[in-house]
């Protein structure tokens, strides 16, 4: 349940305007559990806004290698191209 905690903290931080810290929490949630679609999408959107797209792309590629049947991971990777 660590991923869900990171996701919730990211939502809170984003709400209070701490975008960089929120991104870190979404990224951490995505890294722990790439099956969390919300965190995956938020990490991508925020990464693009913060100029950290490469960091997310590398994490998604790593996830794709371990979760070859996870369609959300491959869709997310496609959005970054």
């Amino acid at each position: 349940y660590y991923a869900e905690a990171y996701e919730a903290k990211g939502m809170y931080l984003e709400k209070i305007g701490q975008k960089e810290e929120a991104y870190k929490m979404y990224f951490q949630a995505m890294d722990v559990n790439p099956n969390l679609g919300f965190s995956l999408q938020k990490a991508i959107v925020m990464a693009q806004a913060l100029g950290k797209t490469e960091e997310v792309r590398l994490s998604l590629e790593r996830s794709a290698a371990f979760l070859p049947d996870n369609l959300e991971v491959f869709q997310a990777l496609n959005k970054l191209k």
Side-chain angles (χ1 to χ4, degrees):
Y1 299 104
Y2 292 110
E4 290 85 354
Y6 290 130
E7 184 177 83
K9 189 170 181 181
M11 291 169 63
Y12 171 74
L13 290 166
E14 185 178 9
K15 185 175 182 173
I16 64 170
Q18 294 183 12
K19 304 262 187 239
E20 181 75 30
E21 293 302 312
Y23 162 75
K24 289 176 186 176
M25 292 297 106
Y26 290 132
F27 183 83
Q28 187 69 25
M30 181 194 73
D31 212 30
V32 170
N33 183 356
N35 291 314
L36 290 178
F38 180 79
S39 289
L40 197 132
Q41 295 303 318
K42 291 300 280 185
I44 290 169
V45 169
M46 295 189 87
Q48 290 171 330
L50 296 169
K52 297 178 182 257
T53 306
E54 185 66 15
E55 185 176 312
V56 172
R57 188 185 62 73
L58 291 172
S59 180
L60 287 170
E61 286 177 352
R62 194 170 58 248
S63 295
F66 289 108
L67 302 166
D69 296 331
N70 187 323
L71 183 59
E72 285 186 354
V73 170
F74 288 98
Q75 288 173 334
L77 269 170
N78 195 42
K79 287 182 181 182
L80 291 176
K81 291 184 180 180

